[in-house]
Amino acid sequence: MPSEITPAGLRERKKEETRRLLLEGAARLFKERGFEATTVADIAAYANVSVRTFFRYFDSKEALLLPDGVEIFAYVENALSRRPADEEPLDAVCSALLAAAEPFSASTLTALGHPLEDIENVVTARLVQAFSDFEERLTGLVHRRLPPDTPDADLKAAVIACAALSAVRAVLRTRRARRASGITDTGPAPLLRAFGILREIGSPQHP
């Protein structure tokens, strides 16, 4: 039996490695050369595959502008499931998003922190759609964490999910604007700072 399973397992690992290299290559090349100057052939060469193989994984170069949403959501879902059941929902979501962001620090999401004038419209459109889809799914996860008798549970879950992801969007937008102005981020990680601000705004002591 093991001899029948092993080849399939090797093929799956090879596919995962190829996908990882394509994403890694896109992130590096977009950052070094810019989006327009980077070709599909360049990205394929980085992963040591053919252009034809590239299109088995992604339908276009634009599809690599954002990390794999399915993969990121799986990280968030797993991270959220490990948070204490009695933890404040917003704290749990913020912690889960921080934990999920770390594995993708070298992804194409990193490039979104840089000025991308040549593809700003494309990035914006894809980012809006990605966050919209993500907000809906995250709302469902938050809703399941709320006590059954929570008033307006569906609304509360949606507000928490949207607020947390809005903080992520704010970080991306602010970092691009700062870098375009020649300002370098200092201090703690921007996402951590953004979640701290969000908690301050939501605290009872906030005016």
Side-chain angles (χ1 to χ4, degrees):
M1 292 298 293
S3 61
E4 296 177 4
I5 297 173
T6 300
L10 288 174
R11 284 195 297 271
E12 286 305 311
R13 284 196 293 274
K14 176 62 176 176
K15 288 180 180 179
E16 290 175 5
E17 177 65 7
T18 298
R19 186 180 186 86
R20 184 189 68 78
L21 286 172
L22 288 170
L23 286 164
E24 178 184 289
R28 178 173 297 183
L29 294 171
F30 290 168
K31 184 176 180 180
E32 292 175 353
R33 305 180 185 179
F35 178 79
E36 292 297 339
T38 301
T39 66
V40 167
D42 293 333
I43 299 169
Y46 181 95
N48 197 29
V49 298
S50 67
V51 170
R52 183 176 180 180
T53 297
F54 171 93
F55 285 111
R56 292 176 185 166
Y57 291 84
F58 301 98
D59 59 9
S60 67
K61 184 174 65 170
E62 287 76 11
L64 286 159
L65 286 171
L66 298 177
D68 190 326
V70 173
E71 191 176 356
I72 290 181
F73 191 79
Y75 269 91
V76 172
E77 186 170 19
N78 290 335
L80 194 55
S81 68
R82 293 193 295 270
R83 304 305 303 175
D86 59 350
E87 186 175 24
E88 283 294 322
L90 180 60
D91 289 339
V93 170
C94 289
S95 295
L97 288 171
L98 282 168
E102 188 174 347
F104 296 92
S105 60
S107 73
T108 43
L109 186 60
T110 303
L112 298 182
H114 295 266
L116 296 171
E117 292 84 358
D118 55 342
I119 52 167
E120 189 70 31
N121 290 336
V122 178
V123 170
T124 300
R126 286 182 174 268
L127 205 54
V128 167
Q129 185 59 53
F131 272 103
S132 177
D133 295 342
F134 201 62
E135 282 172 352
E136 185 174 349
R137 298 172 68 183
L138 186 57
T139 296
L141 291 183
V142 176
H143 192 281
R144 290 200 291 271
R145 289 182 64 90
L146 298 176
D149 58 348
T150 300
D152 292 322
D154 54 347
L155 177 59
K156 183 173 183 177
V159 169
I160 290 171
C162 292
L165 291 178
S166 290
V168 176
R169 282 197 296 267
V171 168
L172 295 175
R173 184 170 59 249
T174 302
R175 293 191 74 184
R176 288 207 305 276
R178 286 180 177 178
R179 294 189 181 190
S181 301
I183 301 173
T184 302
D185 282 333
T186 58
L191 189 55
L192 184 60
R193 299 204 303 274
F195 286 153
I197 293 170
L198 184 59
R199 291 186 180 102
E200 288 175 9
I201 294 173
S203 68
Q205 293 77 25
H206 193 274

